[in-house]
Amino acid sequence: MRKLVAGILAHVDAGKTTLSEALLYRGGSIRKLGRVDHRNAFLDTDTMERQRGITIFSKQAVLSLETVEVSLLDTPGHVDFSAEAERVLRVLDCAILVISGADGVQAHTRTLWRLLERYGVPVFLFVNKMDLASADRASLLTSLKEKLDSGCTDFSLPPEALAEEAAVCDEAVLERYLETGEVPEAEMAGLIRERKLFPCLFGSALKLEGVDEFLAALERYAPVRQYPPEFGARVFKIARDSQGTRLTYLKITGGTLRVKDLLTNRRPGMAEEGIWSEKADQIRIYSGAKFRAVEEAPAGTVAAVTGLSRTRPGDGLGFEDAWA
């Protein structure tokens, strides 16, 4: 099964956590929908998050679709915790940007968009709260094109109209479209991967409207990376579990990580006093507050590793260099 790491981002109160719950519910990962205002959201596991009703720390959930296993990384929407969100961007295959249908593109939305552009992350947009009377689909789409990118495209259009909209995002694709009248699915996925085309879907996460269509588009068009056989990983978060055990969250970007593998930050030319080598004691795959321990994790996996005492966010392991 293909692996996809997707981050979910939004301006505060756009309904990001509600959409996360809806995606996990419709994908079969949870049996009951939680809510922020009920303080039982699946990914808001920290006591402070439940008290304040906002996401403070990035979290992970695993969502298995028919052909793709999605590691969904939920990020803080409040500007005060944007550094936590930015660290996650470095390990994403694509992002899910949630827009409030009632409020449209807000200041922090544009900040997130610039960060996604900086790190070259493909983006799928879910325009939420379309059940509200103030939400106007046509004007919202116009605003997305003007304030974010002209490649923002309504993916609920009929196939012929969608192909036409996608074709104008790239000159070479347009030439082929004028000859054949088609834009193949693989070519459309390529435009998304190159950040020339940005799928927009509309709905209401609270009412589960448009959620199935969004999941279908994500599975169909999301870019899935090809990884080298050599081991590599990027560290994006350090945390502790309820027992105080230090956790190193990383995305494996090549090869396979196995329990008891020796990991090191050694690089040519490094001073010996700065070098460390430690074993991966346990590999955990988290989904909400719970995890399963695995003996090995292939490329494309997001995991929490115990036994590492000197890792820091931004560290590169294996062939990966540390982030600048």
Side-chain angles (χ1 to χ4, degrees), residues 264-267 270-277 310 312:
T264 180
N265 68 336
R266 181 182 293 275
R267 293 291 184 277
M270 282 186 66
E272 284 296 324
E273 62 268 19
I275 293 173
W276 56 261
S277 297
R310 298 179 64 182
R312 296 177 300 176

Side-chain angles (χ1 to χ4, degrees), residues 15-38:
K16 176 178 59 63
T17 300
T18 305
L19 179 61
S20 298
E21 293 285 316
L23 294 174
L24 295 170
Y25 178 73
R26 294 302 297 165
S29 295
I30 58 176
R31 296 182 180 180
K32 182 180 179 182
L33 283 167
R35 288 180 53 163
V36 174
D37 52 345
H38 293 171

Side-chain angles (χ1 to χ4, degrees), residues 129-142:
K129 304 185 181 183
M130 292 302 294
D131 54 318
L132 301 181
S134 57
D136 181 84
R137 190 188 191 104
S139 62
L140 283 164
L141 188 60
T142 299

Side-chain angles (χ1 to χ4, degrees), residues 151-271:
C152 291
T153 301
D154 185 351
F155 261 54
S156 64
L157 292 171
E160 298 81 5
L162 177 57
E164 184 178 350
E165 288 281 328
V168 300
C169 295
D170 181 86
E171 188 173 332
V173 174
L174 179 59
E175 287 182 7
R176 288 190 290 272
Y177 169 76
L178 293 174
E179 292 175 1
T180 65
E182 297 180 350
V183 178
E185 191 173 297
E187 201 159 45
M188 209 170 290
L191 291 172
I192 295 168
R193 183 176 59 251
E194 296 167 8
R195 287 183 48 86
K196 295 180 179 179
L197 179 65
F198 302 93
C200 300
L201 292 104
F202 298 77
S204 168
L206 187 62
K207 296 185 176 181
L208 298 178
E209 295 172 357
V211 175
D212 289 344
E213 292 80 1
F214 185 84
L215 283 172
L218 190 67
E219 181 173 17
R220 193 172 188 179
Y221 297 109
V224 178
R225 298 187 180 183
Q226 300 297 316
Y227 296 102
E230 181 186 359
F231 173 73
R234 288 181 170 181
V235 177
F236 66 92
K237 176 183 172 182
I238 305 297
R240 292 188 182 273
D241 68 10
S242 58
Q243 306 302 312
T245 303
R246 190 177 192 269
L247 302 174
T248 297
Y249 283 83
L250 49 80
K251 179 190 178 184
I252 301 163
T253 57
T256 299
L257 176 64
R258 297 177 176 85
V259 171
K260 300 306 179 185
D261 275 356
L262 189 67
L263 300 177
T264 180
N265 68 336
R266 181 182 293 275
R267 293 291 184 277
M270 282 186 66

Side-chain angles (χ1 to χ4, degrees), residues 94-113:
C94 69
I96 300 167
L97 183 62
V98 188
I99 308 290
S100 168
D103 302 313
V105 177
Q106 297 176 278
H108 190 53
T109 312
R110 300 185 74 167
T111 299
L112 291 171
W113 188 265

Side-chain angles (χ1 to χ4, degrees), residues 1 23 26-27 63-70 215-216 218-219:
M1 183 175 284
L23 294 174
R26 294 302 297 165
L63 171 65
S64 292
L65 304 177
E66 189 173 338
T67 61
V68 180
E69 181 183 85
V70 182
L215 283 172
L218 190 67
E219 181 173 17

